[in-house]
Amino acid sequence: MGCWAIGGPWAEAGRPLGWGPVDDEESVRAVRRALDLGVTLFDTADTYGAGHGERVLGRALAGRRDEAVIATKWGYTFDEDARQATGEDTSPAYLRRAVVASLRRLGTDRIDLYQLHLGDLPVPRAEALLGACEELVADGLVRAYGWSTDRPDRAAALGRRGSSATAVQHGLSVLRDAPELLAVCEKYDLASVARGPLGMGLLTGKYAAGSTLPRDDVRGTGPTWLEWFRGGRPAPEWLRRVAAVRGALTADGRTPAQGALGWIWARSGRTVPIPGCRTVAQVEENAGALRLGPLSPDQFAEVERRLAAVRSAALRDADRPFWPMPSVPTARP
């Protein structure tokens, strides 16, 4: 379960970075329902909701901590009272302060996966933090660490040098494959934590060309690193791709979201998708994919065939400026 949305509202220089207002009580129910249905990994970040997301997750897991694997992130700074992002800090001293603060908000004595949140950080600066990460592992505050990045060279550096590194979090969905990142994970025996497995909602089938996202939702403002929506509306080139694969994803009775998650499991046995949820109903639909498992080889091949046809058509139609997309988005999720 991805926990960005349950962090609630927060902003940077007046631009929203959350998914709009949330009901904390429903968020708590959603996390607990996820546990009941066999979901064990909960991915958040200290900056989601400027600390609020970690507090909500910690509250939801109270009394059930040992049933869950908690993944959180550090690197961005924020003002918790003002709910504002304020910048970033890559110093080892800040790393130590950040993990202590996250432990307090989460109400736990250890973090299972602690991830560097700055995906574009130069490799030498990231490597300078590995010693501090190893100290956190030795102290028992962190079980393992990773990096949230869409850059294969960053992921490879982590795999080469990080003794207790176990995972790379990166974008992966049926709309955007990540073969280079998956190859790095395979080479260095790392888990692939699949961020954005439902295309920020596009792969649920919920949005159409006329859909409009509110201005207090990060998808409604269209920051440069957000590829799926423009001007508060679903990007038409991505909606066409969703339409192209929907039938193949749902051929065996899955919902579109369940099919999209099944595609990820069929793509690689190393992947752990983290679909975002805000409600019990969303949790129940996504968790239903666990029962269905990966797409069959034939179903997976049909999805790929349809995508190949759409990519070829994009060379001739109005999507041409948008396909292929840049290989590495400038991401801040």
Side-chain angles (χ1 to χ4, degrees), residues 196-231:
L198 301 182
M200 296 187 79
L202 286 186
L203 283 161
T204 66
K206 176 180 178 181
Y207 297 105
S211 300
T212 302
L213 280 297
R215 297 290 296 175
D216 60 0
D217 186 317
V218 65
R219 298 169 295 175
T221 58
T224 57
W225 46 262
L226 195 155
E227 60 187 319
W228 310 115
F229 294 81
R230 288 198 306 275

Side-chain angles (χ1 to χ4, degrees), residues 153-231:
D153 62 327
R154 270 64 166 181
L158 177 74
R160 285 193 305 268
R161 299 290 301 277
S163 299
S164 300
T166 61
V168 174
Q169 182 172 145
H170 61 91
L172 177 66
S173 73
V174 66
L175 298 179
R176 175 188 280 286
D177 200 355
E180 293 183 15
L181 267 300
L182 291 173
V184 168
C185 290
E186 186 69 33
K187 180 175 181 179
Y188 294 104
D189 193 23
L190 299 168
S192 157
V193 180
R195 180 189 342 109
L198 301 182
M200 296 187 79
L202 286 186
L203 283 161
T204 66
K206 176 180 178 181
Y207 297 105
S211 300
T212 302
L213 280 297
R215 297 290 296 175
D216 60 0
D217 186 317
V218 65
R219 298 169 295 175
T221 58
T224 57
W225 46 262
L226 195 155
E227 60 187 319
W228 310 115
F229 294 81
R230 288 198 306 275

Side-chain angles (χ1 to χ4, degrees), residues 15 23 38 68 78 110 117 129 146 154 183 199 206 235 242 252 275 277 286 302 316 323 325:
R15 185 184 291 272
D23 178 346
F78 53 92
R110 81 278 186 193
H117 205 169
L129 294 167
R154 270 64 166 181
K206 176 180 178 181
V242 171
D252 60 356
C277 305
N286 291 342
E302 177 62 14
R316 302 185 300 273
W323 189 276
M325 293 292 289

Side-chain angles (χ1 to χ4, degrees), residues 243-281:
V245 299
R246 178 171 180 144
L249 292 176
T250 60
D252 60 356
R254 303 170 196 248
T255 68
Q258 291 167 348
L261 295 173
W263 181 92
I264 287 178
W265 288 320
R267 177 66 180 85
S268 169
R270 291 186 172 273
T271 56
V272 184
I274 48 170
C277 305
R278 281 193 281 188
T279 67
V280 170

Side-chain angles (χ1 to χ4, degrees), residues 8-19:
W10 55 300
E12 182 178 43
R15 185 184 291 272
L17 290 173
W19 294 52

